[in-house]
Amino acid sequence: MKTNIVLIGFMGAGKSLVANILSHKYKMRCLSTDETVEKKAGRKVSEIFQKDGEARFRQMEKAAVKEISESQNVIVDCGGGIVLDPDNVKALKKKGILFYLQASPEVVLKRLKDHKNRPLLQVDNPLERIKELMKERKKLYEQADFTIFTDQQTIEQTALAVVALWKPKAANQKSDSSTK
Ligand code: S3P
């Protein structure tokens, strides 16, 4: 049964904030791929990017996804690049329902403009970079079970939207498994 709520989407889409709200509301543990990597490495994501490069970060991220995907009844807060590796999506789908939190490039820039902890956006023209990366990843994010548009929503509204989609799906699964 798919008991995990998995949040995917671009940086700044609100995944971590929504994950925290849901975690408190439903008393479900929240597991973040970035935090898992940081704990294992003993370093921040930005430092890993800087010292070891993106490829090494992606390896560590993949190991984190593999571990987290074994859990049940958790909320998974995924780093924005998780979808780049098809194995990650496959692993997360085994026990989870995937929600793609979508945001436009302009909104992402506005939400992240004072944050210096996104190594991929430390460039002269972050808006262009955001647009490029989003274009590359659009189809990959769309592998989610549901898409939620976040531009016009507060974090609370986005969390409610996740719940509204998740509850009937979770209930369906329960009745399916009880009739089998
Ligand atoms: C990344 C997103 C970040 C973090 C890393 C790379 C990406 O996570 O994993 O900086 O490739 O989009 P958030 O989406 O939580 O910011």
Side-chain angles (χ1 to χ4, degrees):
M1 226 168 75
K2 295 191 175 201
T3 56
N4 298 339
I5 295 179
V6 180
L7 304 176
I8 66 169
F10 205 75
M11 296 170 259
K15 293 163 292 182
S16 306
L17 295 171
V18 169
N20 278 328
I21 290 184
L22 295 177
S23 164
H24 282 114
K25 200 170 156 90
Y26 293 100
K27 310 265 176 295
M28 286 167 80
R29 207 147 59 98
C30 172
L31 300 173
S32 143
T33 59
D34 279 352
E35 279 176 18
T36 305
V37 167
E38 288 182 343
K39 262 189 221 144
K40 283 254 155 70
R43 287 186 282 154
K44 291 279 169 204
V45 168
S46 49
E47 217 183 319
I48 302 172
F49 263 79
Q50 205 186 8
K51 299 214 169 114
D52 306 320
E54 180 173 350
R56 177 70 191 125
F57 170 74
R58 297 297 173 202
Q59 281 174 356
M60 298 176 81
E61 187 177 52
K62 186 169 185 168
V65 169
K66 200 166 170 223
E67 186 185 312
I68 288 175
S69 300
E70 297 304 320
S71 310
Q72 299 265 26
N73 297 307
V74 294
I75 297 164
V76 189
D77 168 20
C78 295
I82 217 88
V83 290
L84 295 171
D85 188 325
D87 290 347
N88 289 341
V89 177
K90 211 166 144 193
L92 290 162
K93 278 196 168 192
K94 265 199 279 180
K95 293 185 183 162
I97 299 172
L98 270 60
F99 296 86
Y100 165 30
L101 304 192
Q102 205 256 15
S104 66
E106 291 74 16
V107 168
V108 165
L109 185 68
K110 208 163 118 194
R111 289 180 185 161
L112 295 183
K113 69 178 176 352
D114 299 324
H115 296 230
K116 294 278 167 266
N117 58 349
R118 301 304 198 293
L120 291 176
L121 303 183
Q122 303 313 305
V123 293
D124 290 340
N125 190 339
L127 184 61
E128 271 316 299
R129 184 93 175 102
I130 291 169
K131 285 182 181 168
E132 265 168 36
L133 290 172
M134 274 189 182
K135 202 169 157 204
E136 280 168 32
R137 295 178 180 181
K138 186 174 180 289
K139 282 266 170 304
L140 303 174
Y141 289 136
E142 286 170 0
Q143 297 173 92
D145 298 283
F146 299 106
T147 298
I148 296 169
F149 298 93
T150 69
D151 277 10
Q152 316 286 342
Q153 307 216 57
T154 63
I155 288 297
E156 286 75 16
Q157 286 170 329
T158 303
L160 283 176
V162 171
V163 172
L165 293 163
W166 173 63
K167 279 211 161 151
K169 188 104 178 159
N172 258 345
Q173 289 193 98
K174 268 196 192 132
S175 63
D176 279 358
S177 66
S178 66
T179 54
K180 273 179 193 150

